[in-house]
Amino acid sequence: MAAPVALVLHGGAGVLADRSYEAEKRHMRLLAERGRTLLNDGVPALDVVQDIVRAMEVSALYVAGRGSSPNTDGRWELDAAIMDGRTRRAGAVAALEGYVSPIGAARAVMDMTPHVMLAGEGANTLARRARLERVTDPERYYAPAAAPDTRGIATGTVGCVALDREGRLAAATSTGGTLNKTPGRVGDCPLIGSGTWADEMVAVSCTGQGEYFIRALAGGTAAARVRYLDETPEEAARYALKDVKRLGGEGGIIAVDHKGRIAEPFNSPGMKRAVVHADGRITVAVKSP
Ligand code: ASP
């Protein structure tokens, strides 16, 4: 029997507006189907998570990539990270400006430099060197400025974790950051071990109020509990999320381990997500089950 593959993707955790989320659900189902096909065809988890996150970035359906809204200076500064579990290689960009796929820039950091993270001008320069696709008309390309959100830290992000046929795990996360953020603000998503993590046993991607996920070291905590305490991804992710909540934050965590066991807990009103379970089933949801 072929080794199981599994994948979880998220389109951000947070409040749910009083509207239908059918477009996002349809899109996430298509992406889950695509992820399942790629994984069954033997495509490495690292390439699959990048592919899925890129598709979410360009869709404008989520607060990442094209769907990002500007910071208080009217500029779009985007964060992203990608990590390969088996090799522990990782790449991340923070406050990247002017490129269609921040996750592609994160991959370029991993593949083209000896570093893990580049920020600001350095990230832009590398993206240029890697000949990544540019955003030439940001005012038209990105989402319009979001209405001021009354919550302290309003959120939106996309992410994907996957287990491939060779048993390799990978994680990718990309975000426009929090709405109306201060220029230069960097969230948890590009910080390896906070918003994004993958090792030999588990891959994790977080979404929510990044400041709290950083202070809870959420992704790394969940992974360490799988690794050292032999917890299931579900137990480990719930533990990490409890600490986020104790500190006053909300959001969600997706995870998959080397056995194909998945987790998708959240403590916010909703989290857009889709799962390819190890038995091949696909589930899609935005609210609690
Ligand atoms: N965690 C992201 C950030 O703080 C936002 C989100 O996930 O919605 O930048």
Side-chain angles (χ1 to χ4, degrees):
M1 208 176 84
V5 301
L7 177 146
V8 192
L9 62 89
H10 71 72
V15 290
L16 291 177
D18 187 19
R19 66 167 175 87
S20 158
Y21 283 90
E22 280 314 308
E24 288 89 338
K25 281 166 84 173
R26 253 197 318 276
H27 188 243
M28 291 191 297
R29 180 172 295 281
L30 283 176
L31 292 183
E33 287 168 0
R34 176 153 121 199
R36 181 175 61 187
T37 301
L38 292 171
L39 290 167
N40 282 330
D41 284 351
V43 176
L46 183 67
D47 295 332
V48 173
V49 296
Q50 181 178 349
D51 177 88
I52 299 293
V53 165
R54 183 192 158 90
M56 296 182 93
E57 287 173 336
V58 300
S59 72
L61 287 170
Y62 318 91
V63 186
R66 186 165 197 187
S68 304
S69 50
N71 63 22
T72 53
D73 271 358
R75 296 168 72 126
W76 289 263
E77 295 183 334
L78 309 186
D79 299 339
I82 189 162
M83 188 164 188
D84 181 38
R86 187 166 283 181
T87 62
R88 299 279 187 103
R89 293 172 67 232
V93 289
L96 176 79
E97 286 192 75
Y99 289 87
V100 166
S101 177
I103 201 65
R107 181 73 186 263
V109 173
M110 179 174 144
D111 289 347
M112 295 174 60
T113 82
H115 308 302
V116 168
M117 179 187 282
L118 293 180
E121 254 329 294
N124 300 340
T125 302
L126 177 73
R128 193 160 56 240
R129 196 153 66 76
R131 298 183 188 283
L132 299 184
E133 194 182 342
R134 287 192 68 97
V135 172
T136 50
D137 192 352
E139 269 73 23
R140 278 166 192 245
Y141 182 80
Y142 291 115
D149 194 296
T150 49
R151 291 174 306 145
I153 309 173
T155 55
T157 284
V158 303
C160 184
V161 293
L163 168 71
D164 69 21
R165 268 189 9 200
E166 307 285 323
R168 291 170 300 208
L169 293 151
T173 317
S174 176
T175 187
T178 48
L179 304 183
N180 304 309
K181 65 186 180 183
T182 302
R185 180 265 187 190
V186 175
D188 61 315
C189 148
L191 302 182
I192 298 300
S194 286
T196 306
W197 178 264
D199 60 29
E200 303 83 340
M201 298 187 75
V202 64
V204 185
S205 171
C206 302
T207 168
Q209 297 173 313
E211 281 68 11
Y212 297 95
F213 281 75
I214 295 170
R215 288 158 55 200
L217 196 69
T221 296
R225 294 185 71 86
V226 172
R227 191 178 184 78
Y228 300 116
L229 300 180
D230 205 23
E231 287 188 351
T232 63
E234 179 71 25
E235 290 165 337
R238 283 196 182 281
Y239 183 95
L241 203 52
K242 215 159 36 176
D243 203 31
V244 169
K245 185 168 181 186
R246 185 180 66 81
L247 297 173
E250 66 171 41
I253 297 178
I254 59 169
V256 62
D257 78 352
H258 59 117
K259 295 181 178 162
R261 298 178 300 186
I262 63 100
E264 46 175 335
F266 57 96
N267 69 2
S268 44
M271 179 169 80
K272 306 176 201 87
R273 62 207 189 274
V275 180
V276 178
H277 299 268
D279 61 8
R281 253 178 332 119
I282 289 178
T283 50
V284 182
V286 300
K287 295 188 189 140
S288 295

